[in-house]
């Protein structure tokens, strides 16, 4: 036999062993669901496990819409169209919690709704940071500049909501 074949046989043999071992070790329901081979590899049986284990906490604007239809329309027409109500109104600070309707008792809602009027809320998304993209893709207007402010320069010492109408992203 030509000596050049020997390493080839070794490699093919190793590959066969690896594939056999893999067949026994990897669960049969481990797959790239929906044919997305980049991000979808998981054990399909796991989905049920996580669904039973975790209750969804954020309900999205559809939930708020039952009672706040006017606000939904206002925000849908503003620069904050893509930002969920819960992104700004779920509160961890006990002083800022408080919703007139008891959403926990009446709807089994798990989060605390309230209002944060501090600069901190807006800075979370609007602060100029070196690694933040300078543009974003708007649903209707294509690529737009993502206008960032430098909180140290942009009207320091005043609350953003003293000037800005947050739901319209206009001015008061
Ligand atoms: C069952 C009806 C109902 C649902 C559902 C509901 N709200 Fe309300 N909410 C009210 C009522 C009534 C008020 C008092 C009147 C007003 O401000 O519109 C209120 C007031 C508020 C206030 C003002 C609180 C304050 O301190 O003045 C915020 C903020 C708020 N809701 C946010 C939300 C968000 C966000 C959701 C969705 C996660 C939501 N609400 C879901 C009925 C509801
Ligand atoms: C980008 C952050 C942000 C988003 C998104 C947002 N809010 Fe607000 N909301 C605020 C702030 C800040 C205030 C206090 C405004 C002020 O005092 O000028 C407020 C005030 C309110 C109030 C009470 C005062 C008022 O204007 O009537 C209600 C009710 C409310 N929001 C509901 C909602 C609902 C419902 C949504 C989703 C459609 C929503 N908000 C989306 C930040 C936000
Ligand atoms: C969860 C992230 C988030 C929070 C919190 C947030 N914003 Fe925004 N805001 C956005 C996004 C995304 C846009 C759309 C991008 C844009 O227009 O630059 C936007 C747009 C805006 C615009 C319009 C900018 C323009 O160029 O037309 C203003 C004004 C604004 N926000 C003010 C505020 C104020 C004031 C607060 C705090 C009360 C706040 N935002 C909180 C994400 C956020
Ligand atoms: C004293 C009133 C005032 C306060 C307080 C204020 N702003 Fe502004 N903001 C303005 C004015 C006026 C403009 C438009 C002119 C400009 O770009 O400076 C503006 C513009 C913006 C824009 C759009 C930038 C652009 O290039 O179009 C964003 C986003 C913004 N402000 C966010 C904030 C945030 C976040 C805070 C709080 C940290 C804040 N503002 C505090 C008055 C204010």
């Amino acid at each position: 036999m030509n000596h050049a074949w020997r390493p080839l046989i070794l490699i093919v043999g190793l590959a066969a062993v690896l594939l056999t071992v893999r067949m026994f070790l990897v669960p049969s329901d481990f797959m790239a669901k929906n044919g997305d081979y980049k991000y979808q590899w998981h054990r399909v049986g796991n989905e049920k496990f996580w669904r039973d284990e975790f209750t969804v906490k954020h309900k999205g604007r559809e939930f708020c819409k039952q009672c706040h239809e006017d606000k939904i329309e206002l925000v849908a027409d503003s620069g904050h169209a893509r930002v969920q109500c819960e992104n700004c109104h779920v509160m961890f600070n006990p002083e800022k919690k408080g919703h007139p309707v008891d959403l926990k008792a009446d709807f089994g809602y798990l989060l605390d709704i309230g209002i944060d009027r501090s600069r901190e809320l807006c800075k979370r998304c609007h602060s100029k940071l070196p690694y933040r993209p300078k543009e974003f893709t708007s649903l209707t207007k294509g690529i737009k500049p993502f206008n960032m402010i430098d909180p140290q320069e942009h009207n320091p010492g005043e609350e953003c909501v003293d000037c800005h109408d947050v739901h319209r992203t206009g001015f008061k």
Side-chain angles (χ1 to χ4, degrees):
M1 191 199 294
N2 188 330
H3 68 278
W5 287 109
R6 284 192 199 145
L8 190 69
I9 290 166
L10 188 69
I11 288 165
V12 171
L14 268 178
V17 169
L18 279 176
L19 284 173
T20 316
V21 170
R22 185 187 184 281
M23 226 168 71
F24 286 105
L25 287 186
V26 178
S28 59
D29 64 341
F30 181 77
M31 56 181 84
K33 218 182 153 193
N34 307 324
D36 177 351
Y37 291 97
K38 203 165 170 190
Y39 297 116
Q40 285 291 324
W41 286 103
H42 66 291
R43 210 154 52 73
V44 177
N46 232 352
E47 287 175 13
K48 185 175 160 15
F49 170 81
W50 289 106
R51 216 179 283 134
D52 294 348
E53 201 74 7
F54 284 93
T55 330
V56 175
K57 290 190 181 137
H58 292 84
K59 296 202 172 183
R61 53 176 80 84
E62 283 308 310
F63 173 65
C64 317
K65 196 173 177 180
Q66 303 170 68
C67 311
H68 294 289
E69 183 131 30
D70 53 333
K71 284 275 182 309
I72 307 277
E73 282 167 16
L74 205 61
V75 174
D77 215 24
S78 78
H80 284 142
R82 292 208 292 186
V83 185
Q84 291 282 353
C85 317
E86 288 165 316
N87 223 323
C88 295
H89 284 295
V90 169
M91 297 295 140
F92 298 98
N93 182 344
E95 286 166 28
K96 291 176 179 159
K97 289 177 187 175
H99 187 266
V101 178
D102 190 344
L103 300 175
K104 293 187 175 179
D106 298 351
F107 297 89
Y109 191 66
L110 294 171
L111 302 165
D112 288 295
I113 297 293
I115 297 183
D116 182 356
R117 291 190 172 84
S118 72
R119 286 171 76 88
E120 301 311 313
L121 172 76
C122 321
K123 276 161 64 180
R124 215 174 74 207
C125 300
H126 285 288
S127 291
K128 202 171 253 166
L129 298 169
Y131 48 82
R132 245 193 192 151
K134 304 226 169 352
E135 293 176 331
F136 74 107
T137 310
S138 149
L139 291 178
T140 47
K141 298 183 192 102
I143 293 173
K144 280 183 58 181
F146 201 157
N147 294 320
M148 293 296 168
I149 52 117
D150 179 346
Q152 244 114 52
E153 311 249 310
H154 190 75
N155 307 301
E158 288 177 79
E159 303 299 9
C160 318
V161 295
D162 287 347
C163 303
H164 291 278
D165 179 330
V166 60
H167 296 135
R168 285 194 301 118
T169 58
F171 293 101
K172 280 190 169 164

